[in-house]
Amino acid sequence: MPSPEERVLILAPRGRDAAVIEQVLDRAGLAAAVCADVTEWVSCLRAGAGSAIVTEEALADSDMQPLSGWLDAQPPWSDFPFIVLATRQAGPRTQRAADSLKRLGNVVLLERPINAETLTSAVVSSLRARRRQYQAREHLLERERAQDQLRRANEELERRVAERTREVEAAHETLAFALDAAGMSSWDIDTETGIHRRSPGFDAVFGYEGSGRAWDRESFLDHVVEEDRDTVAEAFASVAETSKLDFECRIRRVDGAIRWIAMRGQVKRDADGRPLRIAGILMDRTEQHITEEALRQAQKMEAIGQLTGGVAHDFNNLLTVIVGGLDMMLRRPEQTDRVKRLAEAAMGAARRGEQLTQQLLAFSRRQMLRPQTLNPNRLLLDFRPLAERAATGAVELTFDLDPALDPIRIDPAQFESAVLNLIVNARDALEGSDGPARIVVTSRNVRLGTATVADRGVPPGPYVVVSVADTGSGIPPDKLQRVFEPFFTTKEVGKGTGLGLSQVYGFTRSAKGFAQIETEVGRGTTVSLYFPRSTDPAGEEVGTGPVGAIPLRRAGEGETVLLVEDDEQVLGMAVESLEELRYRVIVTRNAAEALEHLHGVERIDILFSDVVMPGGMNGSQLAVEARRVRPDIKILLTSGYVANLDEGQVLGRGELPVLNKPYRRDELARSLRLVLGGERV
């Protein structure tokens, strides 16, 4: 059944016109509906139609008001087509008839009589035109629907944007609150546009009010204190390579106050690797630094208290032997045997005091060093008999040494002392052990990465590790952090001073390495000493042969010693020892006095000088100046303390022979013999 919008409405109330028109259209296959009057005709128009045929007399005889109302109510897309069957007239139409035709608008006027083909053609044309109007209506409706969907989508988008904006604002507020609570401020730089954003707290760290200040790299560096400026500039320069910014420094605020800050940032790049932006945080670390410094100071004072207490305890024990013995010798000096026995006891106590002092200096890295480039396996093998005696026969001592071990640069005497301390500690840890008592000494080449040495204070690279492992009782976790502290010991009273591991710690640090402890309670402990591989070839190791192997040497005829010593009591003892050895002694108390004699013409065979002296020039500097003035002069230095670690390392290379304090007369004689004879000390 055809749609109402495809039908043709016929209004021809006179005669048989309506029936004839309907028959013509029916034969053409066009749907038609005959209306009795204008009222029915307008009602059918409202229901829907494709075209309408009306006779001119029907328009003239009818009330056109209902039709006019319908015509005025047409939507914008509609211009309804009318076919008016007009009666042939001799003259012009009346004004009313002309107005009626004009009122219809889209009109095709056919004068009667007309044939069926003409009428059919006109109807088909009007229906085609109406269909195009319906298509326009559909396009308009589709457009309206699309606009409505777009409007709803825009409303939904606006709602979501508003909701997201509220979430972002809430997140920003939460982030700002969290950053402020943590003492942080955020910053963001667009690398393409140069636009920078920052939170209000950023400018406040530098003492500015508000956030209107323009920032760039140079203005930031202007606030960095001069001592830290190069480090910060390097951190900025490395961002392109590392994509990260991470540094701490001191800044000077606009009010002149110095503050500690930490800056962290990361670069965001596009798919091609080009930097788009860099963002991060700024932290005021001043209060944390103050707290950390106060904690370090408290820990330092506690360590100093423990150190001084331990030193006082051990030295009081030694001084008791020395003072008590000297007192009894002074009371009965005529008892030769008794005086000799007491003197030997006092000398033994003094030697133990010397050893105690050397251990303290090793921990503080102020001991006199004589480093050599050597293969530690040679030392360990030569040292093995002594190690086996220290371990005792009840303990199985095994050496597992890498035959391809790299050379290292160390002081051999300090190395032997460190390993011996570790073996003794391992032996003590094995006492009372139920399982097999075993100690293993190993040596290996290793390569340490950046992550491994991050908290060790040494660079990554190739190292040699010498380890001493035992199957003993292990170290409890609460004591593990303190084992390197001087005078801290887990042994019973009288079984250790607590300086063994302190000496190991100081020695490895002096050798630019570090010590590491791995332990498990009930299963044992491994102490590993890491030393950087030396690029120099290993030489012949110089041992510490027995002192008594070299005969005592007295001075030759007229041999003169230029003595430089600022301590009066040590000076007196040195003068007496040298004169007893029949040397002529020139006494000076500082480098300036010594240089006056060196620039003179008197005979000077050897310069014997303390290392640490007042007056602005130390012993090693005096030695250099002495060689400049008198190239052939012999030099022997003495010291019990090296104020500067680097100086200690230079002295220990062998260019300048050194006699450690305290020294005995025979040790002084031996050193003078070796120096004057051209041999190394």
Side-chain angles (χ1 to χ4, degrees):
M1 185 174 184
S3 168
E5 293 183 344
E6 294 291 327
R7 64 183 178 173
V8 180
L9 301 179
I10 303 171
L11 178 59
R14 297 184 182 180
R16 297 184 61 255
D17 289 346
V20 173
I21 294 171
E22 184 179 16
Q23 290 177 1
V24 171
L25 296 180
D26 184 62
R27 285 196 297 271
L30 301 174
V34 177
C35 301
D37 51 32
V38 172
T39 301
E40 184 181 356
W41 191 45
V42 172
S43 178
C44 290
L45 286 172
R46 289 195 177 96
S51 181
I53 300 175
V54 59
T55 59
E56 190 174 13
E57 58 270 20
L59 294 175
D61 296 342
S62 304
D63 180 8
M64 297 300 294
Q65 190 63 34
L67 180 61
S68 296
W70 180 81
L71 290 171
D72 293 339
Q74 286 187 102
W77 57 267
S78 177
D79 186 15
F80 193 81
F82 291 95
I83 299 174
V84 178
L85 302 180
T87 303
R88 188 185 300 273
Q89 298 181 5
R93 289 182 174 77
T94 64
Q95 186 62 41
R96 184 172 183 276
D99 290 343
S100 297
L101 292 176
K102 184 178 180 180
R103 186 72 183 85
L104 292 177
N106 186 7
V107 174
V108 175
L109 188 63
L110 299 178
E111 291 186 350
R112 289 179 293 188
I114 57 175
N115 59 41
E117 290 182 2
T118 301
L119 179 61
T120 301
S121 176
V123 170
V124 170
S125 297
S126 63
L127 288 173
R128 187 181 301 111
R130 187 59 175 175
R131 290 191 193 100
R132 286 196 291 270
Q133 293 180 20
Y134 287 146
Q135 291 174 355
R137 177 191 64 184
E138 292 302 320
H139 288 316
L140 290 174
L141 290 176
E142 183 64 29
R143 181 179 177 185
E144 289 178 358
R145 285 193 295 269
Q147 289 177 340
D148 184 61
Q149 291 176 351
L150 180 60
R151 177 185 57 78
R152 288 197 298 269
N154 286 337
E155 290 176 353
E156 178 65 17
L157 180 60
E158 290 176 359
R159 184 189 67 78
R160 291 183 179 180
V161 169
E163 182 179 329
R164 182 59 178 163
T165 301
R166 288 193 297 270
E167 292 176 355
V168 171
E169 290 175 350
H172 282 171
E173 182 179 354
T174 302
L175 177 60
F177 180 77
L179 290 175
D180 186 62
M184 302 178 183
S185 53
S186 61
W187 53 271
D188 185 354
I189 301 175
D190 190 316
T191 56
E192 293 184 345
T193 64
I195 297 176
H196 54 82
R197 295 172 291 272
R198 60 196 183 277
S199 60
F202 188 97
D203 290 354
V205 171
F206 295 85
Y208 294 105
E209 296 182 359
S211 56
R213 177 175 174 79
W215 284 95
D216 57 22
R217 178 177 175 272
E218 295 306 320
S219 61
F220 182 91
L221 287 174
D222 287 342
H223 280 281
V224 179
V225 299
E226 186 174 354
E227 295 83 357
D228 298 349
R229 199 166 293 163
D230 290 343
T231 302
V232 175
E234 290 175 4
F236 277 116
S238 65
V239 170
E241 180 181 353
T242 63
S243 296
K244 291 182 181 297
L245 188 66
D246 188 353
F247 64 83
E248 284 193 23
C249 69
R250 291 163 294 172
I251 62 164
R252 191 181 304 277
R253 289 164 46 103
V254 292
D255 57 6
I258 302 296
R259 308 287 291 180
W260 275 96
I261 66 165
M263 203 165 190
R264 309 281 189 271
Q266 188 164 353
V267 175
K268 181 180 180 181
R269 301 180 182 271
D270 61 15
D272 297 327
R274 292 189 299 268
L276 298 177
R277 55 186 291 215
I278 178 171
I281 59 172
L282 176 77
M283 295 175 284
D284 188 334
R285 300 287 298 275
T286 307
E287 298 303 324
Q288 181 177 344
H289 270 268
I290 293 174
T291 302
E292 290 175 351
E293 183 60 30
L295 177 59
R296 281 194 294 268
Q297 187 66 21
Q299 291 173 335
K300 184 196 304 182
M301 296 306 295
E302 181 181 353
I304 291 174
Q306 177 178 311
L307 176 61
T308 54
V311 170
H313 173 270
D314 284 9
F315 267 97
N316 280 335
N317 286 341
L318 299 174
L319 289 173
T320 298
V321 177
I322 297 172
V323 172
L326 292 174
D327 178 59
M328 286 186 284
M329 281 189 284
L330 290 173
R331 290 179 183 275
R332 296 181 181 179
E334 71 282 359
Q335 296 180 355
T336 306
D337 293 340
R338 184 168 179 267
V339 168
K340 183 178 179 181
R341 178 171 51 81
L342 292 173
E344 289 175 349
M347 180 62 74
R351 284 303 185 188
R352 290 199 301 274
E354 177 187 1
Q355 183 182 10
L356 179 62
T357 303
Q358 291 301 320
Q359 288 178 318
L360 288 171
L361 290 175
F363 170 73
S364 63
R365 285 176 283 165
R366 294 295 186 267
Q367 80 276 36
M368 195 70 68
L369 297 178
R370 294 180 176 85
Q372 302 173 19
T373 301
L374 45 79
N375 187 325
N377 283 350
R378 290 279 303 276
L379 285 179
L380 291 171
L381 292 174
D382 292 344
F383 166 74
R384 184 168 185 166
L386 177 60
E388 290 174 343
R389 288 195 298 271
T392 72
V395 176
E396 178 188 351
L397 179 62
T398 304
F399 281 74
D400 179 13
L401 308 180
D402 183 356
L405 201 65
D406 292 329
I408 58 177
R409 186 170 179 80
I410 55 172
D411 183 311
Q414 292 285 336
F415 177 77
E416 291 178 356
S417 177
V419 176
L420 180 61
N421 276 323
L422 296 180
I423 291 175
V424 170
N425 283 346
R427 178 203 64 194
D428 293 343
L430 289 167
E431 291 184 1
S433 176
D434 296 332
R438 185 168 60 252
I439 299 175
V440 180
V441 179
T442 61
S443 64
R444 293 289 186 271
N445 293 323
V446 295
R447 175 169 288 276
L448 303 182
T450 303
T452 306
V453 300
D455 58 346
R456 300 293 183 178
V458 297
Y463 282 77
V464 170
V465 56
V466 176
S467 301
V468 177
D470 65 68
T471 56
S473 57
I475 304 174
D478 59 327
K479 296 180 179 179
L480 181 61
Q481 301 300 321
R482 302 187 60 193
V483 294
F484 288 126
E485 295 179 9
F487 293 104
F488 176 81
T489 179
T490 59
K491 302 177 184 179
E492 297 179 4
V493 176
K495 287 195 173 183
T497 64
L499 286 173
L501 286 179
S502 300
Q503 183 264 337
V504 171
Y505 170 84
F507 162 63
T508 54
R509 298 303 294 175
S510 296
K512 297 181 172 55
F514 65 93
Q516 177 177 288
I517 298 181
E518 298 173 346
T519 185
E520 185 176 348
V521 175
R523 297 183 65 88
T525 300
T526 300
V527 182
S528 301
L529 310 182
Y530 289 84
F531 304 96
R533 183 187 67 186
S534 176
T535 56
D536 298 331
E540 290 296 326
E541 294 81 358
V542 177
T544 57
V547 174
I550 300 176
L552 188 66
R553 178 190 188 275
R554 297 185 184 273
E557 183 67 29
E559 285 185 327
T560 303
V561 176
L562 176 59
L563 175 62
V564 190
E565 176 60 63
D566 61 289
D567 187 284
E568 290 296 331
Q569 291 184 330
V570 176
L571 180 66
M573 186 276 298
V575 170
E576 187 170 344
S577 296
L578 289 169
E579 289 179 344
E580 191 171 294
L581 292 170
R582 298 178 184 175
Y583 287 94
R584 189 172 73 89
V585 183
I586 301 174
V587 176
T588 60
R589 289 168 175 80
N590 54 55
E593 294 180 10
L595 286 173
E596 291 181 7
H597 290 278
L598 288 168
H599 283 93
V601 295
E602 59 188 320
R603 175 179 176 178
I604 300 175
D605 296 285
I606 184 167
L607 170 67
F608 181 39
S609 173
D610 192 10
V611 173
V612 180
M613 296 185 299
M617 181 180 286
N618 61 36
S620 61
Q621 293 168 333
L622 174 61
V624 173
E625 186 65 18
R627 285 269 172 83
R628 188 184 66 80
V629 176
R630 299 192 181 197
D632 296 330
I633 194 171
K634 304 295 184 178
I635 295 172
L636 175 63
L637 299 179
T638 180
S639 181
Y641 168 74
V642 181
N644 182 280
L645 175 61
D646 292 334
E647 176 185 282
Q649 296 288 5
V650 170
L651 291 174
R653 287 176 185 166
E655 292 91 345
L656 299 175
V658 181
L659 174 62
N660 288 335
K661 291 180 179 179
Y663 54 82
R664 294 178 299 181
R665 192 195 66 164
D666 56 345
E667 292 172 337
L668 174 60
R670 173 180 177 270
S671 297
L672 291 171
R673 170 190 173 90
L674 292 173
V675 172
L676 289 170
E679 301 176 60
R680 293 179 59 185
V681 177

